[in-house]
């Protein structure tokens, strides 16, 4: 049967291909030929448009497409108190050396823990005011401020003890999450790539090479995430999106969920999981045997990396395979990731994006009634 609360049987990760009008306006704003006020008008209009398109294909959860962001994580994290972005070489590379995101890194300028209302709360309020369905907000998981950078982001002069950093980061997040809740957000998604990166032997070695223990990080990240969401209202749903990298249809990591599965499903206190399952790089469904009865898994069986539309029969067979390890009633369906984790977007056309989302809605009705 269909679900009346999130995650929904047909759902999506959040980011959508930026419209041509929005890209043009952002270019003009960057070159100084468009005022901030004029840009805001265009941005608002394009967000309203992408909301209407999501509703038109039948989705019950609606995002702003992350239209107001350049990047899925940098834009959010650099707005936390005492965090700044700066130019520097990325340490975690995508699979194709010629296609890498902006060379932007993050670091602390002081201790965490204070709270200035996060500007993305206003983004959520706009979304909520313009949709008839359930507005969904997406933000990066707190691990995103650590995994790629390590001590480069956390100067010893500010935090001699990393445990203090992890504690303060969790507390900072909890204040932002409370701000979203106060604004009426009841569906919040944490985009968590780093737990899946820790399933890749090469990225575990990356952590070892900089002097940290990759075996310890999953529990550290779990504790931070739990601290971030500890005070949510009883009617608020928190989901986690698990990803192996998504930029211009390229990826970073490979490896199944088995190394983190038990902790992922039974230690982290989220209500549901958006799980990448569109390729062999994600491994099999066996880790789903650890999912407790009160949690939901959204199977990311439809790829956002190419425009080729999947066969409904093939997706049905994959759902059936998953039910060997988890009941059908605990499953939903979505793309494996967003369509545009950064403003550049993946390599497919907008009509192909909408065709995939429409197919997910149709298939969810056929499978779950």
């Amino acid at each position: 049967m269909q679900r009346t609360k999130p995650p929904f049987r047909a759902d999506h990760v959040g980011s959508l291909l930026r419209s041509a009008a929005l890209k043009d306006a952002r270019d003009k704003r960057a070159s100084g030929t468009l005022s901030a006020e004029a840009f805001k008008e265009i941005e608002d209009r394009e967000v309203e448009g992408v909301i209407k398109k999501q509703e038109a294909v039948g989705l019950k959860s609606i995002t702003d497409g992350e239209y107001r962001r350049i990047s899925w994580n940098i834009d959010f994290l650099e707005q936390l108190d005492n965090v700044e972005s700066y130019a520097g070489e990325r340490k975690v590379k995508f699979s194709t050396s010629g296609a890498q995101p902006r060379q932007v890194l993050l670091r602390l300028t002081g201790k965490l823990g204070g709270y200035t209302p996060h500007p993305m709360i206003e983004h959520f309020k706009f979304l909520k005011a313009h949709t008839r369905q359930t507005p969904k907000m997406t933000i990066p998981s707190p691990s995103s401020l650590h995994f790629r950078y390590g001590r480069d982001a956390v100067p010893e002069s500010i935090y001699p003890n990393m445990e203090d950093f992890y504690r303060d980061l969790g507390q900072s997040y909890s204040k932002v999450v409370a701000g979203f809740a106060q604004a009426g957000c009841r569906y919040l998604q944490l985009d968590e790539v780093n737990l899946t990166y820790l399933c890749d032997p090469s990225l575990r070695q990356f952590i070892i090479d900089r002097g940290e223990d990759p075996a310890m990080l999953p529990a550290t990240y779990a504790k931070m995430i739990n601290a971030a969401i500890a005070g949510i209202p009883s009617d608020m749903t928190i989901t986690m999106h698990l990803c192996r990298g998504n930029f211009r249809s390229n990826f970073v990591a490979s490896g199944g969920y088995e190394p983190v599965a038990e902790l992922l499903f039974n230690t982290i206190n989220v209500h549901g999981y958006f799980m990448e399952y569109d390729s062999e790089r994600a491994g099999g469904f066996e880790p789903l045997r650890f999912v407790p009865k009160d949690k939901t898994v959204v199977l990311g069986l439809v790829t956002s990396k190419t425009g080729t539309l999947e066969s409904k029969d093939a997706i049905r067979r994959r759902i059936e395979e998953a039910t060997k390890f988890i009941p059908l009633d605990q499953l939903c369906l979505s793309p494996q990731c967003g369509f545009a984790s950064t403003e550049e977007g993946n390599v497919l056309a907008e009509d192909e994006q909408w065709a995939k989302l429409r197919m997910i809605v149709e298939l969810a009705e056929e499978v779950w009634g």
Side-chain angles (χ1 to χ4, degrees):
M1 62 188 300
Q2 293 295 326
R3 290 173 56 88
T4 57
K5 66 177 185 178
F8 299 100
R9 297 299 186 195
D11 217 312
H12 66 128
V13 170
S15 67
L16 296 164
L17 294 171
R18 311 305 196 255
S19 66
L22 180 62
K23 287 184 174 181
D24 179 64
R26 185 160 282 140
D27 287 344
K28 288 178 178 175
R29 177 64 189 143
S31 67
T33 58
L34 187 69
S35 70
E37 293 77 12
F39 174 71
K40 179 66 163 49
E41 286 182 13
I42 295 170
E43 189 178 59
D44 286 352
R45 184 187 69 215
E46 295 304 304
V47 169
E48 286 188 59
V50 83
I51 288 170
K52 289 183 174 67
K53 288 180 179 179
Q54 291 170 77
E55 293 175 343
V57 299
L59 291 168
K60 301 300 182 185
S61 68
I62 308 296
T63 73
D64 64 3
E66 299 183 7
Y67 267 32
R68 302 187 194 276
R69 306 184 206 182
I70 294 173
S71 161
W72 67 278
N73 63 340
I74 299 291
D75 297 58
F76 177 89
L77 293 168
E78 68 183 356
Q79 295 294 334
L80 295 175
D81 284 3
N82 291 329
V83 177
E84 69 173 4
S85 59
Y86 66 101
E89 184 178 355
R90 291 177 59 89
K91 296 176 175 61
V92 176
K93 305 291 186 182
F94 277 78
S95 58
T96 303
S97 60
Q100 302 295 330
R102 293 180 306 149
Q103 299 296 308
V104 176
L105 308 180
L106 295 167
R107 64 189 172 200
L108 302 187
T109 59
K111 283 189 177 292
L112 300 169
Y115 179 62
T116 303
H118 199 286
M120 287 190 182
I121 292 172
E122 293 303 315
H123 300 176
F124 172 78
K125 289 178 180 178
F126 185 94
L127 168 65
K128 184 174 185 290
H130 288 86
T131 182
R132 301 183 302 274
Q133 302 294 344
T134 299
K136 172 182 176 180
M137 190 67 193
T138 62
I139 63 174
S141 172
S143 68
S144 301
L145 191 54
H146 172 262
F147 182 88
R148 290 166 174 77
Y149 318 110
R151 269 294 184 187
D152 288 348
V154 189
E156 288 193 49
S157 59
I158 299 174
Y159 281 107
N161 186 334
M162 285 296 290
E163 290 303 315
D164 294 336
F165 161 73
Y166 297 133
R167 180 201 64 224
D168 287 358
L169 180 55
Q171 290 178 357
S172 292
Y173 254 76
S174 71
K175 292 171 183 176
V176 178
V177 171
F180 281 117
Q182 189 173 10
C185 179
R186 291 299 180 268
Y187 189 7
L188 181 70
Q189 175 181 296
L190 302 176
D191 292 324
E192 173 58 74
V193 303
N194 301 308
L195 287 173
T196 44
Y197 284 11
L198 286 165
C199 296
D200 186 315
S202 65
L203 288 167
R204 291 176 70 86
Q205 188 61 48
F206 163 74
I207 297 298
I208 293 169
D209 290 345
R210 75 178 187 206
E212 295 185 67
D213 184 354
M216 300 295 292
L217 285 183
T220 297
Y221 291 164
K223 186 176 180 180
M224 270 200 304
I225 292 165
N226 285 343
I229 63 177
I232 63 170
S234 60
D235 61 344
M236 188 175 190
T237 297
I238 306 286
T239 57
M240 173 181 288
H241 168 232
L242 295 140
C243 177
R244 290 164 179 78
N246 189 53
F247 173 74
R248 300 294 290 154
S249 298
N250 290 309
F251 65 92
V252 171
S254 298
Y257 296 97
E258 195 71 28
V260 299
E262 193 163 9
L263 172 141
L264 176 69
F265 297 127
N266 292 289
T267 300
I268 299 176
N269 298 325
V270 297
H271 302 100
Y273 304 84
F274 283 75
M275 301 188 69
E276 178 178 323
Y277 266 123
D278 67 323
S279 73
E280 293 180 357
R281 290 186 300 102
F285 295 122
E286 291 81 0
L288 300 183
R289 71 190 185 277
F290 290 112
V291 180
K293 299 296 185 185
D294 61 343
K295 292 190 175 185
T296 304
V297 169
V298 187
L299 296 175
L301 298 173
V302 176
T303 190
S304 69
K305 294 186 186 294
T306 73
T308 303
L309 190 63
E310 288 82 354
S311 154
K312 282 187 177 181
D313 286 341
I315 298 298
R316 269 197 207 91
R317 287 194 294 272
R318 293 280 282 152
I319 294 171
E320 289 173 7
E321 288 175 30
T323 61
K324 295 175 183 176
F325 304 98
I326 183 173
L328 180 64
D329 192 51
Q330 287 181 253
L331 295 174
C332 301
L333 180 64
S334 77
Q336 109 286 347
C337 194
F339 291 90
S341 299
T342 66
E343 64 177 349
E344 292 87 354
N346 283 346
V347 185
L348 75 165
E350 281 192 72
D351 60 345
E352 293 172 326
Q353 165 187 268
W354 296 114
K356 284 177 178 274
L357 291 171
R358 190 176 300 108
M359 186 266 285
I360 287 169
V361 171
E362 292 171 357
L363 191 49
E365 291 174 351
E366 293 168 13
V367 171
W368 286 279

